Amino acid sequence: MRNQKILLTGATGYIASHTWLALLESGFDVVGVDNFANSSPEVLNRLQRLSGQAPVFEKADVGDAAALDAVFAAHKPAAVVHFAAFKAVGESTTMPLAYYRNNIGGLINTCETMRRHGCSRMVFSSSATVYGAPAPTDLPLREDAALSAVNPYGATKLMGETILRDLGAAEPDWQTACLRYFNPVGAHESGLIGEDPRGIPNNLMPYVAQVAVGRRAELQVFGDDYDTPDGTGVRDYIHVMDLAEGHVAALRFLLNGRESITANLGTGRGYSVLDLVRAYSAASGRPIPYRIAPRRTGDAAACWADASLANEKLGWSARHDLVRMCEDSWRWQSMNPQGFEKS
Ligand code: UFG
């Protein structure tokens, strides 16, 4: 396995940057590409500090076939982890064409480039969003639960999975892993890399982190009248380093075998918004002021994974608990209160 080179698209993003480190630690070589549409070049400096080696990186857009061709010709990757995509649910409803162009166009372009260079193993960043609005009877969510798209972002993930399934059926050389992420949170334990959303955070933990550090006055809790133990939404939060290790396991599975896989990456445990607020307050030693606001359109009451397939097939399971997720997020946030650019 040593010295096999893995290409990461969207390589300086939140999940990819943590996966980059996990891959280096597992003995893989990595080449990253990104166009910095939603990330900072400072990530590369941080990766250098953490790994003790200069990251191999090419600035490129996954929509640019000529640029990708040059990367493949120069680096000859054995497999690709395709992270590059837009990911904001709300934004996807106002800019659907941009989402379809980037997420679907980028995926097709990447696959076509891979094929031109004889590379046919891809790990794809999918999402629990493919379960649509899960019914309580569907919980915990198994991979064979009903699938649906409830917004353009979700449609791009569902279509991405469909494209890879159809490609594998048509061209048996292809082996792909669709990893359905639940709610990635936390940061590398060094505090040097983490999630750095631009503008107002869409997701709960980065918002809570910014309240704790004093960048935002209070959290709005979107609904306290759901049919859940405390009335607030329940999600399966997963530490980003566990998620990163899930990618390493999926790559080993693809490179050592002849099978494709679609698997949930979650912990199998659900926590409410208020559970997370309490845990974050304890980890940071800061109060998290909040007020109850109306439900957010499109939110499910509860969503958590049955993570047993990844355990059986990939030999992977999440190790970090909610306390650790909050502690690591807080280390990153307090060391970098304004994120990468201004720290
Ligand atoms: N929430 C708040 N206040 C906030 C933000 C979130 O109360 O300011 C609540 C939400 O209502 C929800 C929970 O916190 O109950 C988690 O919300 P997130 O936005 O962090 O995460 P979601 O589960 O809504 O979304 C995530 C991913 C999406 C993906 C979706 C379904 O961010 O990409 O899971 O898989 F589509």
Side-chain angles (χ1 to χ4, degrees):
M1 191 73 62
R2 260 196 109 73
N3 297 328
Q4 276 183 303
K5 190 172 273 188
I6 309 300
L7 172 68
L8 309 184
T9 68
T12 52
Y14 171 47
I15 299 169
S17 56
H18 290 79
T19 301
W20 193 329
L21 272 185
L23 284 167
L24 291 177
E25 274 162 23
S26 298
F28 287 96
D29 289 339
V30 176
V31 53
V33 301
D34 207 315
N35 64 355
F36 301 118
N38 190 28
S39 62
S40 164
E42 173 62 16
V43 171
L44 299 170
N45 297 330
R46 304 294 177 91
L47 288 173
Q48 175 147 7
R49 273 174 71 183
L50 284 166
S51 67
Q53 53 186 284
V56 180
F57 178 80
E58 308 273 3
K59 186 171 180 203
D61 188 313
V62 291
D64 181 344
L68 283 188
D69 262 327
V71 171
F72 273 81
H75 296 280
K76 303 183 174 46
V80 173
V81 188
H82 185 59
F83 291 103
F86 294 150
K87 62 170 184 180
V89 171
E91 184 182 67
S92 79
T93 65
T94 62
M95 308 168 52
L97 288 179
Y99 272 67
Y100 289 116
R101 161 76 59 198
N102 192 44
N103 294 11
I104 301 300
L107 172 64
I108 293 172
N109 211 22
T110 303
C111 289
E112 287 179 339
T113 308
M114 289 171 66
R115 187 166 55 184
R116 280 195 296 280
H117 293 266
C119 177
S120 54
R121 293 183 172 94
M122 174 184 273
V123 177
F124 174 65
S125 294
S126 190
S127 164
T129 192
V130 299
Y131 297 115
T137 49
D138 288 337
L139 299 172
L141 286 156
R142 285 163 41 106
E143 288 79 358
D144 57 4
L147 304 180
S148 69
V150 289
N151 51 62
Y153 162 74
T156 69
K157 292 299 173 187
L158 197 49
M159 179 56 71
E161 289 196 4
T162 306
I163 288 168
L164 294 180
R165 190 193 60 215
D166 291 348
L167 182 56
E171 300 178 20
D173 280 357
W174 281 85
Q175 287 150 52
T176 60
C178 294
L179 302 182
R180 295 176 176 164
Y181 311 154
F182 279 68
N183 289 63
V185 297
H188 188 261
E189 63 182 356
S190 64
L192 287 175
I193 56 172
E195 187 170 15
D196 181 18
R198 290 192 177 160
I200 300 171
N202 295 304
N203 296 117
L204 179 63
M205 193 175 286
Y207 201 105
V208 168
Q210 292 192 7
V211 173
V213 85
R215 269 173 78 176
R216 303 197 184 271
E218 64 174 11
L219 172 74
Q220 294 185 60
V221 175
F222 297 141
D224 70 346
D225 56 354
Y226 285 108
D227 186 15
T228 60
D230 67 16
T232 67
V234 168
R235 295 291 184 275
D236 186 337
Y237 298 97
I238 173 168
H239 195 293
V240 66
M241 287 310 301
D242 282 329
L243 203 57
E245 293 298 339
H247 291 75
V248 176
L251 280 164
R252 288 202 170 110
F253 178 86
L254 294 183
L255 291 166
N256 292 336
R258 301 214 48 82
E259 248 185 282
S260 292
I261 186 170
T262 297
N264 291 334
L265 293 186
T267 66
R269 278 210 64 164
Y271 288 98
S272 74
V273 175
L274 295 181
D275 289 334
L276 187 144
V277 167
R278 274 190 296 273
Y280 209 97
S281 187
S284 62
R286 303 281 180 100
I288 313 288
Y290 68 85
R291 79 186 153 80
I292 305 301
R295 293 182 179 192
R296 186 171 64 178
T297 310
D299 271 357
C303 177
W304 68 88
D306 178 330
S308 53
L309 185 76
N311 193 4
E312 283 157 28
K313 291 275 208 177
L314 306 179
W316 170 92
S317 59
R319 294 186 297 119
H320 300 311
D321 63 10
L322 186 65
V323 171
R324 179 70 189 272
M325 298 179 211
C326 294
E327 286 171 354
D328 287 341
S329 164
W330 176 241
R331 191 172 305 106
W332 151 255
Q333 188 67 64
S334 52
M335 285 169 61
N336 306 270
Q338 303 296 325
F340 284 110
E341 302 270 318
K342 297 175 207 101
S343 49

